[in-house]
Each structure stands twice: as structure tokens, then as C-alpha cells.
Amino acid sequence: MLLLVLSAFVAILYNDQFQPFQAAVGFSLLGYTFTTYMIPRVSTAFIKRGLFGRDMSKIGKPICPETIGVIPAICYMFLMILFIPFMYVRYYYHGDGSSLSEPASLFPNGKLSSFLSGMLCLQSMILLGLMDDLFDIRWRHKFFLPAIAAIPLLVIYYVDFGVTSVLIPSFLKRCLNVTSNSFDLGVFYYFYMAAVAIFCPNSVNILAGINGLEVGQTVVIAVLLILNDLCYMLMGDLGSPAYSVHLYSSCMLIPFLGISLGLLKFNWFPARVFVGDTWCYFSGMVFAVVGISGHFAKTLLLFFVPQILNFIYSSPQLFHLVPCPRHRLPHFDAKDGLMHNSWTEYDRDHPIKKVMVPIFSAFEKIRLIKLVRNSNGTIIKSSNMTLINLVIIWFGPKREDHLCALIMALQFLTGLFMLILRHTVAPMLFGFDNSWNMLERRWN
Ligand code: UD1
Ligand code: MG
């Protein structure tokens, strides 16, 4: 730990040019150290305050402190406040370190506003997550709140960047016989970004229920996004607009990765802490913030493929076409110590809706669901429609940590595949690389 703290201070303080990337690595190490130091020390206090949950997948369902995600979240907010000088003071200096004669006119007020609006948005999400952990707010009440939290971000996007067009692939251009490279979505692009702000936090929260997965998925997404940033930074010119936004994005994500790894250490099987909805909302919003203020809100969703699939697959239960139990996490069987898929049961009072019967039967044929019928052939049970249960149906019952590792690996592989597509096939399809061109056009 001492070595980590020392390295963090070297990276942060031995940095007379205020290099943000180097400082971000230092803050990441500091975040990891602080999180791993604090969590075991505050866990008992959380339990005493009644902030605990039962680990449903262990023998005897022991209690575990919950809402611990608030520790890394608050740590992140403080780290990012300390980070401000490293992100912006360098605009006051020439390359040789001497200060500029007219620094105020060159100071990037737009960039600082974008950063501060992101921080405001994250603070709102931490508050929402905490209220949810404390009072278990209903879905219909909390669903749209992230979009409201994102308003400052969208306003800054409008004022500072304002690009709302999407590119048309070359082959479609020829088919439609249009000359323009892009199609302007106008105000709908703002609705899309608000939807991203709603989707990211909620999608992390519903891909949950096994030790390590809530944090594990955010670690994988953060790594993929940092890889995406590095692609731009290594290929782009130093000081180009694309370089600048991806430097900004990586500087937000590297400290985030540090605190997430610190939390994962305690949430990994057998979990010593639960992260709570505070973490799910906060971490999901970190991604929405970097995606929106880094101007890659479309690319962002390429790294959310498992979350998107989980949402689509879950929709019959989320929209109450079939009953949705309070918990859909897989079922732990104490006899073999493995996680099996969990079930939704239908009875005389809650029969399965007629419209769902043919859909479920078709799903059963392609192994998308497991059904149990009574002697009359009536469906009396169906497996809960979550990606975790589906992975169990496809790959068989698994130990909790193996299941989590498998889902994280699937997330990483799909994300990596998307990343490669994004940087190889997409530029070919569109004739040029979207983000580079949009940025160059807007700022040059
Ligand atoms: C979401 C899911 C729910 C899932 C729950 C698990 C939807 C619509 N909601 O609800 O199906 O059961 O997350 O987090 O898909 N828990 C464990 N082991 C873990 C993590 C959580 O047993 O590794 C249990 C604990 O009892 C913990 C509780 O889940 O107290 C937390 O559930 P909560 O985050 O409040 O559930 P939701 O987010 O509402
Ligand atoms: Mg939750």
C-alpha cells in the first residue's frame, strides 16, 4: 500500500507541466488505495445503520453491508476536484513552461463548464442512488430522473459542440441517391443523449445479482473505453480536437478504473460488501457523462451490448407482460453449491398471458427460455428473463464466481469485437472516420 501511495504521489506531484494523463494514473492509484483502505473500516458502521442486505447465494444467507459503492463514488468526486488543476492549468503555459501573456483569453471555459456539468450530473446520481438504497424508490418514480440530471450536460453540448448529425454509410448514400454525408437528427439527437443517460445507469442495475457483477461489468466497460481513447490518442495528432476529447475521456475513466478495482476487491466472490444502487447509478452515469461530453454517445453503446441484450430480453418482465418478481437473480442450490436459473411461477390467480404462450414456446425451441408445464400442457413456470439466467441455460449451472467471470469475459470479447469494427469496418463503410471529421469541421 505504501508503494502505491508513493507511486501515486510521484505521478501527481512530479509533474511540473501539469500533464493530465500522468496525473490521472496517479489519481487512479490514489483512488484504489483510498477505497481499499476505507471499505473494511466503514463496513461495520454501515451494518449498524441498517445498511445491509442478505447474500441470497450463500448457505444461511449471511448479511453483508450494502450501499458501499458510495465510498468509491465520493472518493471519485474528490479526486476529480483535485484533478481540475491538471486538466486546465496547462492552458496557462507555453510548451516550455513559461506562462502565457494573455492566459484568460485562451482559457477553455467551455471545456471546464463541460467538466463541471458532468460533476453536477454525477452528484445528482449519487443522491438518487442513495435515496434508492435507503427507501427503495419505485421504478416509475426514478426512471426519468437521470435524464433530468443530464440537462446541464446537454445544454453545454448544445452551446459548445452542437453536432446532431449522424453519418450515412456510402452504400446507403448511393441507394438513396443523396450527396450529403450526414443526416441531421436535430432535437432528436438530444432525446437520444437523454435516453443514453437513462439507459446506462439502469442497465448496470438490472444486470446484477451475483457477487462481483455490478462492479465487474463497469471495470470491463471502463477498460474498453480507455482502449478506445488510446486508439484515438495514439493515432491522432497531439493537440487535435479528437486527441483533446479522448484525453479528457481517458482522464475521467482512469481514476474511475482505480476506484472500481478497489471496490471489486471486496465485492468479488465471496462478497464482503454489496455495492448498492448508488454504485450502479453512479458508474452508469460516469459512462454517459464521458460519452456525451466526449462526443461519442453513439460509439459508447457499442460497449454496452450485453446490457442492451439484457434489457431487450428482460422487457417482457420489465413491462409486466409476464410477472416480474422483486428478485430475478439466479437460484443458489446448497446441494451442489452452484447457481441455477431462477423461475417465475404462474398459478390460477396469476396465469400466463395467452399472448405470451406462442412466444415462449418459440423461445423454448431456440433455447432462449426454460419452461415447465403441468400434465395438461399448461405452462406453470418459466425461467426469469435475464442475461445471467440465459448464460446458465446455455452453459449449465456454474459456481457464482465462475459465472461472473464468464459474463465479464463475454462483455470484454463483444466489446473488443466492437472496438475493432469501430476502427476498421466503420471508417470503410462511411468513407472516413466519423468523429475525426465532425470534430475537425466543428472546431477548425
Ligand atoms: C435488480 C434486479 C433484480 C435483482 C437485483 C439484484 C431487475 C428489474 N431488478 O433489482 O432482479 O435481483 O438487482 O441485485 O432486473 N444480492 C445478492 N448477491 C449479490 C448482489 C445482490 O444476493 O451479489 C441481493 C442482496 O440481497 C441485496 C439485493 O440483491 O441486498 C440488492 O438488490 P437491489 O439492488 O435493491 O435490487 P434492484 O436493483 O432493485
Ligand atoms: Mg440494484
Side-chain angles (χ1 to χ4, degrees):
M1 185 170 277
L2 194 66
L3 197 67
L4 278 176
V5 177
L6 270 177
S7 327
F9 279 112
V10 168
I12 296 167
L13 300 176
Y14 198 69
N15 188 0
D16 55 357
Q17 294 276 311
F18 286 92
Q19 285 308 318
F21 195 85
Q22 181 186 327
V25 175
F27 281 114
S28 184
L29 294 174
L30 208 56
Y32 176 83
T33 317
F34 182 81
T35 311
T36 47
Y37 178 81
M38 280 307 283
I39 290 177
R41 283 166 180 78
V42 297
S43 296
T44 342
F46 273 61
I47 295 180
K48 274 193 194 145
R49 288 271 163 203
L51 292 171
F52 60 82
R54 293 212 166 264
D55 195 336
M56 318 254 218
S57 311
K58 306 287 178 300
I59 295 166
K61 298 189 177 164
I63 60 164
C64 216
E66 186 134 24
T67 321
I68 293 293
V70 74
I71 302 294
I74 290 178
C75 170
Y76 180 79
M77 298 308 291
F78 276 97
L79 287 180
M80 293 321 281
I81 290 170
L82 292 172
F83 191 70
I84 291 178
F86 295 90
M87 195 85 109
Y88 301 103
V89 167
R90 71 202 156 98
Y91 287 96
Y92 274 111
Y93 293 94
H94 285 300
D96 61 3
S98 61
S99 60
L100 295 170
S101 48
E102 282 182 283
S105 61
L106 293 165
F107 191 76
N109 288 309
K111 287 197 175 79
L112 182 61
S113 319
S114 167
F115 175 81
L116 294 177
S117 63
M119 291 295 111
L120 185 62
C121 187
L122 292 178
Q123 265 179 9
S124 311
M125 291 313 286
I126 296 176
L127 261 180
L128 174 64
L130 265 178
M131 297 305 277
D132 197 18
D133 279 331
L134 292 174
F135 301 111
D136 222 350
I137 307 174
R138 289 178 168 218
W139 276 85
R140 61 171 171 270
H141 296 143
K142 65 185 176 189
F143 191 74
F144 289 104
L145 289 178
I148 298 174
I151 287 177
L153 216 60
L154 301 187
V155 171
I156 300 291
Y157 185 90
Y158 176 73
V159 176
D160 192 43
F161 190 60
V163 174
T164 52
S165 37
V166 288
L167 285 182
I168 309 174
S170 320
F171 71 90
L172 209 62
K173 244 170 53 185
R174 280 194 294 276
C175 290
L176 299 173
N177 205 11
V178 286
T179 46
S180 168
N181 281 327
S182 56
F183 177 73
D184 192 9
L185 290 177
V187 70
F188 292 106
Y189 195 73
Y190 291 90
F191 284 120
Y192 165 74
M193 287 189 287
V196 166
I198 294 177
F199 177 76
C200 294
N202 283 304
S203 67
V204 172
N205 190 26
I206 63 170
L207 187 57
I210 54 172
N211 291 179
L213 191 57
E214 278 136 308
V215 201
Q217 62 185 303
T218 58
V219 166
V220 175
I221 297 172
V223 168
L224 289 164
L225 285 171
I226 293 170
L227 286 177
N228 181 51
D229 290 330
L230 289 176
C231 285
Y232 281 101
M233 285 160 65
L234 296 175
M235 290 183 314
D237 294 336
L238 202 80
S240 69
Y243 183 94
S244 157
V245 287
H246 286 282
L247 175 65
Y248 167 83
S249 157
S250 60
C251 288
M252 298 275 286
L253 289 166
I254 292 170
F256 174 79
L257 187 60
I259 57 148
S260 320
L261 287 171
L263 182 58
L264 185 59
K265 186 174 168 194
F266 295 94
N267 185 238
W268 189 257
F269 176 90
R272 282 171 277 170
V273 302
F274 285 151
V275 300
D277 291 345
T278 313
W279 175 260
C280 302
Y281 291 145
F282 162 76
S283 57
M285 196 50 112
V286 168
F287 301 135
V289 165
V290 291
I292 294 170
S293 48
H295 312 145
F296 56 91
K298 286 171 270 116
T299 303
L300 175 73
L301 289 194
L302 295 180
F303 305 119
F304 272 79
V305 172
Q307 284 74 13
I308 295 172
L309 294 179
N310 186 44
F311 174 75
I312 297 172
Y313 183 52
S314 294
S315 51
Q317 288 195 307
L318 296 181
F319 297 112
H320 295 289
L321 287 173
V322 281
C324 182
R326 168 69 184 86
H327 283 290
R328 302 190 296 159
L329 49 86
H331 167 72
F332 171 69
D333 189 344
K335 282 189 220 117
D336 58 10
L338 301 179
M339 304 298 282
H340 297 253
N341 67 273
S342 57
W343 301 96
T344 299
E345 302 195 6
Y346 309 100
D347 53 24
R348 200 189 290 262
D349 297 331
H350 301 98
I352 183 166
K353 282 194 179 133
K354 270 197 181 134
V355 61
M356 293 311 291
V357 175
I359 300 175
F360 273 12
S361 303
F363 276 13
E364 187 186 32
K365 286 202 178 85
I366 49 175
R367 289 189 69 217
L368 274 184
I369 203 164
K370 259 180 157 175
L371 302 174
V372 175
R373 294 181 170 82
N374 65 10
S375 49
N376 305 330
T378 312
I379 298 171
I380 50 166
K381 278 204 282 185
S382 67
S383 56
N384 276 316
M385 304 177 83
T386 67
L387 191 74
I388 310 177
N389 282 311
L390 190 61
V391 167
I392 295 175
I393 294 174
W394 283 348
F395 296 93
K398 297 240 162 318
R399 213 176 80 177
E400 196 173 3
D401 52 341
H402 295 167
L403 182 59
C404 181
L406 177 61
I407 296 172
M408 281 171 67
L410 290 175
Q411 170 109 46
F412 184 72
L413 291 177
T414 49
L416 197 64
F417 180 66
M418 290 296 168
L419 184 74
I420 294 168
L421 282 190
R422 174 70 189 80
H423 291 280
T424 52
V425 177
M428 278 191 263
L429 212 59
F430 292 107
F432 55 89
D433 196 325
N434 174 2
S435 346
W436 296 96
N437 274 274
M438 295 254 182
L439 288 164
E440 306 290 344
R441 250 188 288 153
R442 178 71 179 82
W443 276 327
N444 287 338

